[in-house]
């Protein structure tokens, strides 16, 4: 079986790596991001890819920056595997390293290229209200996500999907597609297709400012942002000067005659007016310093603070 150097970090990458191991590929090395310190106690947390590499006893490397690391120069450059495979690694790979692959350097990318190139393809698909997404097996080149495409598989997006559920669905789809594609690349039967430059859409990492729900959005746009940022980092409203994270929401069937940002009702539901007279029902929220809760529990505790008809969402400060 062909030899592989694998690079990845989150669960998406771990699922792809697991598929390679189970299929019998000779994984010569695994590269993942350095461990993180999480929470107030600064607990050390391994990436899912590291956990899997340790489980299978695979050689593991965690350079903070691959391109200028001793690991690259002293170990990885000398392996010269048949394939270099990446799946949500999170760093650029030097061209000189990609060229060491005897057959190909490929990436399992979580979108239907040329839409969306970049680090947040799943989030952008949800935020933009797309009805389908997918995975692309592509050749790695120096330019980000710009290589020729070997294969694609599509996945429908349901109204209930979040970034978390899409990641869970795309990971096994990407793993399966990779395992179907690598042998065809190896025997020369897989024809590469160039990306159409006129169809390129970029999906850079979503900024802190973009996590905020604005009532200048329609309720549909706000709902899509909530889905895109669930489970991490979460979208939020600024309600009476306090951040209120919103984990689930739905577009209400009724419309509003009130200005955007006003509370329609706090009786049985927490409904807020948005642009174009649309209304968003909040279903699950998380006040600062508290755990996520269903809207019923939130209203039982804080509902009396809010008066129907008043503007409760702040737009001009953070």
């Amino acid at each position: 079986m062909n030899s592989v150097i694998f690079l990845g970090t989150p669960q998406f990458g771990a699922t792809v790596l697991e598929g390679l191991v189970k299929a019998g590929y000779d994984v010569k090395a695994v590269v993942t991001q350095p461990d993180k310190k999480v929470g107030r106690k600064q607990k050390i947390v391994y990436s899912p890819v590291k956990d899997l590499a340790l489980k299978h006893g695979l050689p593991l490397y965690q350079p903070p920056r691959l391109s200028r690391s001793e690991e690259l120069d002293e170990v990885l450059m000398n392996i010269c595997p048949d394939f270099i495979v990446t799946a949500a690694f999170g760093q650029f790979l030097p061209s000189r390293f990609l060229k060491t692959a005897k057959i190909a350097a490929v990436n399992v990318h979580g979108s239907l290229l040329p839409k969306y190139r970049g680090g947040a393809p799943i989030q952008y698909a949800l935020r933009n209200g797309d009805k389908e997404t997918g995975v692309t097996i592509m050749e790695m080149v120096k330019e980000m996500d710009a290589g020729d495409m070997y294969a694609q598989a599509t996945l429908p997006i349901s109204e209930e999907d979040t970034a978390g559920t899409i990641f869970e669905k795309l990971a096994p789809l990407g793993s399966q597609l990779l395992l179907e594609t690598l042998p065809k690349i190896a025997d020369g039967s897989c024809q590469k297709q160039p990306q159409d430059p006129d169809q390129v859409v970029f999906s850079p990492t979503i900024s802190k400012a973009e996590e905020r729900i604005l009532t200048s959005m329609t309720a549909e746009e706000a709902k899509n942002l909530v889905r895109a940022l669930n489970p991490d980092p979460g979208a939020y409203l600024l309600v009476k000067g306090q951040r209120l994270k919103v984990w689930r929401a739905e577009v209400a069937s009724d419309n509003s005659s009130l200005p955007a940002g006003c509370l329609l009702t706090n009786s049985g539901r927490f409904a807020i007016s948005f642009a174009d007279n649309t209304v968003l029902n909040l279903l699950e929220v998380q006040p600062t310093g508290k755990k996520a809760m269903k809207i019923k529990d939130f209203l039982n505790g804080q509902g009396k603070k809010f008066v129907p008809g008043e503007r409760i969402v702040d737009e001009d400060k953070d």
Side-chain angles (χ1 to χ4, degrees):
M1 186 61 75
N2 296 119
S3 58
V4 171
I5 291 178
F6 179 83
L7 304 94
T9 301
Q11 186 57 49
F12 182 90
T15 300
V16 174
L17 175 59
E18 181 77 41
L20 290 168
V21 171
K22 288 184 176 180
Y25 281 85
D26 181 12
V27 181
K28 296 291 189 182
V30 173
V31 185
T32 192
Q33 297 277 39
D35 302 335
K36 289 185 176 182
K37 294 182 179 180
V38 177
R40 295 179 181 177
K41 296 183 179 180
Q42 294 291 279
K43 180 181 179 181
I44 298 295
V45 176
Y46 295 170
S47 75
V49 165
K50 178 174 180 176
D51 281 334
L52 189 63
L54 293 174
K55 172 185 173 182
H56 290 289
L58 302 173
L60 178 68
Y61 304 94
Q62 296 181 269
R65 187 172 179 180
L66 179 64
S67 61
R68 297 182 179 180
S69 67
E70 293 181 357
E71 292 92 336
L72 177 66
D73 291 329
E74 297 179 7
V75 180
L76 301 174
M77 287 292 296
N78 299 317
I79 293 176
C80 299
D82 295 315
F83 291 104
I84 293 172
V85 176
T86 68
F89 175 48
Q91 294 187 35
F92 281 103
L93 274 61
S95 297
R96 62 191 181 99
F97 173 52
L98 298 177
K99 292 176 182 178
T100 66
K102 295 176 183 176
I103 299 176
V106 303
N107 178 39
V108 185
H109 185 74
S111 82
L112 298 173
L113 291 171
K115 180 185 180 181
Y116 298 93
R117 293 183 186 177
I122 293 173
Q123 290 86 347
Y124 272 71
L126 286 164
R127 191 176 73 171
N128 291 342
D130 292 0
K131 300 304 180 184
E132 70 173 10
T133 183
V135 288
T136 302
I137 309 299
M138 56 165 285
E139 180 182 34
M140 295 197 70
V141 295
K142 185 176 182 179
E143 186 179 352
M144 182 179 62
D145 299 330
D148 291 346
M149 301 176 294
Y150 289 109
Q152 289 187 327
T154 60
L155 177 76
I157 298 176
S158 77
E159 285 294 320
E160 305 305 318
D161 273 321
T162 65
T165 63
I166 292 295
F167 269 110
E168 290 174 0
K169 295 175 183 178
L170 282 186
L173 184 65
S175 176
Q176 178 183 351
L177 186 63
L178 177 69
L179 296 178
E180 292 172 356
T181 305
L182 289 182
K184 297 176 183 178
I185 299 175
D187 67 20
S189 63
C190 187
Q191 298 298 315
K192 296 184 293 184
Q193 297 293 328
Q195 297 185 39
D196 183 349
D198 294 331
Q199 300 299 316
V200 170
V201 179
F202 290 98
S203 60
T205 301
I206 292 176
S207 68
K208 291 285 187 182
E210 292 175 297
E211 296 170 11
R212 184 175 174 184
I213 304 167
L214 301 174
T215 55
S216 56
M217 302 173 178
T218 65
E220 182 71 23
E221 290 168 341
K223 173 194 170 185
N224 287 340
L225 180 61
V226 169
R227 297 164 66 207
L229 301 185
N230 181 347
D232 183 67
Y236 72 93
L237 281 165
L238 197 62
V239 177
K240 290 192 170 184
Q242 300 296 318
R243 288 194 180 203
L244 182 68
K245 283 202 173 185
V246 183
W247 293 113
R248 289 195 306 119
E250 66 179 6
V251 178
S253 58
D254 51 333
N255 292 327
S256 171
S257 60
L258 295 173
C262 291
L263 178 68
L264 274 69
T265 177
N266 61 353
S267 178
R269 65 185 180 121
F270 199 59
I272 299 173
S273 58
F274 276 75
D276 297 342
N277 306 118
T278 58
V279 177
L280 188 72
N281 290 333
L282 308 189
L283 302 178
E284 184 178 351
V285 298
Q286 183 177 7
T288 301
K290 297 184 180 296
K291 295 181 179 180
M293 64 186 73
K294 293 181 179 179
I295 201 64
K296 178 181 177 181
D297 297 323
F298 173 76
L299 291 176
N300 285 339
Q302 302 190 36
K304 293 181 180 180
K305 296 180 181 179
F306 307 105
V307 179
E310 71 171 331
R311 185 182 182 90
I312 65 168
V313 179
D314 301 317
E315 292 286 273
D316 57 349
K317 59 184 178 179
D318 200 348

